[in-house]
Amino acid sequence: MNNAKRFKIFNTYVDALSLDETIQAVERIISERKPTQHVVINASKVNIMQKDKKLTDIINSCSLINADGASIVWASKVLGIPLKERVTGIDLFMSLIELANEKKYKIYLFGAKEEVIIRVKEIFETKYPNLNITGYRNGYFAESDEPAIVENMAESRADMMFVAFSSPKKEYWVNKYINQLNIPFVMGVGGSFDVVAGVTERAPIWMQQHSLEWFYRLIQEPRRMWRRYIIGNAKFVLLTYKTKFKMAKTH
């Protein structure tokens, strides 16, 4: 996708698109039926990319990259990048489910535990009567199962697939099979299935509006998340100011 609104940030890129503009881009992708991997970037992923060239190459090859984290919006202001707004993965995911219901797009759900994905399917089918879920599968399998899984996905003729793995596993997996899936739009959604199913809670609206979702996750799971958010955020702030200093030296 030729995107004049794409800007370089750190060792990757971000598309300065609103949520509505992103949805319009997804509709074009579906109409063209060209295999497209969608990704979002946040502080954690940018930190990983400083050492993971494979992940960096995968993300930079994607034709649609949204700013998921408030951290990216903050960094864009420091670095002078005209980013309109953050487009969180879960907000885009839920908007696309509504779009699929409206336009009768076929969707495939992939990832999470069996009981979680079944619950997500039930919730969506109850709330969205026109939603056509042409396939679903949990995220637990051996590598030897992958050819059959990919074949099932290709046979589903889905228009959109949502992959609920963590990073960088989801980016690696989608990149490996994107051209075999026969699905034009494939998006990683991380822990969004758990949120939909009620396994985990999303931060209250006021915390979302004040860029405090990371803090809500931290207090929910401090032992698992402290390294990502305390150490990771500090690394990201340092990286941002180092980048700003380098930019100032070259101008």
Side-chain angles (χ1 to χ4, degrees):
M1 187 181 297
N2 182 16
N3 190 351
K5 296 182 178 180
R6 172 161 289 192
F7 296 92
K8 184 166 177 56
I9 184 166
F10 306 114
N11 60 342
T12 187
Y13 302 91
V14 64
D15 295 319
L17 300 175
S18 66
L19 177 60
D20 288 343
E21 288 171 331
T22 303
I23 291 168
Q24 290 167 15
V26 174
E27 289 194 82
R28 285 195 299 272
I29 288 165
I30 291 171
S31 67
E32 293 168 2
R33 294 206 72 82
K34 181 182 178 182
T36 299
Q37 178 176 3
H38 171 274
V39 292
V40 297
I41 56 170
N42 51 36
S44 176
K45 202 172 293 182
V46 167
N47 286 342
I48 295 170
M49 290 169 70
Q50 302 314 301
K51 295 182 179 179
D52 189 331
K53 186 178 185 304
K54 181 180 177 182
L55 178 63
T56 304
D57 290 344
I58 288 171
I59 289 176
N60 290 350
S61 72
C62 294
S63 58
L64 195 52
I65 307 173
N66 284 121
D68 174 68
S71 53
I72 301 297
V73 177
W74 170 80
S76 73
K77 290 177 181 176
V78 173
L79 301 174
I81 297 167
L83 196 60
K84 286 185 179 180
E85 64 185 39
R86 63 189 290 227
V87 178
T88 69
I90 191 164
D91 287 336
L92 179 59
F93 171 44
M94 297 307 295
S95 296
L96 291 176
I97 293 296
E98 291 180 10
L99 180 72
N101 181 62
E102 178 191 332
K103 298 287 183 78
K104 298 187 177 177
Y105 290 143
K106 298 185 289 291
I107 70 166
Y108 196 109
L109 303 172
F110 181 37
K113 295 178 180 177
E114 180 71 10
E115 61 268 27
V116 170
I117 198 165
I118 289 173
R119 179 70 182 136
V120 170
K121 181 174 180 288
E122 290 171 349
I123 289 169
F124 281 162
E125 288 175 337
T126 300
K127 187 173 181 180
Y128 304 106
N130 295 321
L131 190 64
N132 186 0
I133 300 175
T134 58
Y136 70 96
R137 198 200 188 285
N138 68 53
Y140 294 83
F141 52 87
E143 192 173 344
S144 58
D145 299 326
E146 292 183 7
I149 292 170
V150 172
E151 185 178 356
N152 176 261
M153 290 168 174
E155 288 172 353
S156 76
R157 294 290 297 171
D159 299 300
M160 295 188 279
M161 182 164 81
F162 302 101
V163 183
F165 299 167
S166 60
S167 291
K169 181 183 177 182
K170 63 178 180 286
E171 286 84 6
Y172 291 164
W173 201 94
V174 174
N175 176 262
K176 183 178 179 180
Y177 292 112
I178 186 71
N179 292 314
Q180 300 174 44
L181 293 172
N182 196 32
I183 299 172
F185 180 77
V186 183
M187 174 185 178
V189 295
S192 295
F193 288 3
D194 285 343
V195 174
V196 173
V199 176
T200 57
E201 283 185 33
R202 195 176 179 191
I205 296 293
W206 72 267
M207 293 188 86
Q208 295 176 39
Q209 291 171 340
H210 289 84
S211 305
L212 290 171
E213 281 186 279
W214 68 272
F215 184 68
Y216 191 76
R217 288 194 68 190
L218 177 63
I219 60 177
Q220 278 189 310
E221 301 180 89
R223 292 182 68 180
R224 191 167 79 88
M225 292 295 180
W226 76 271
R227 186 176 296 276
R228 171 176 173 174
Y229 288 122
I230 303 301
I231 297 177
N233 285 358
K235 282 183 179 178
F236 182 79
V237 169
L238 184 61
L239 175 66
T240 301
Y241 283 110
K242 278 184 177 177
T243 304
K244 183 177 175 66
F245 179 70
K246 285 180 184 175
M247 288 169 64
K249 283 183 71 176
T250 57
H251 285 84

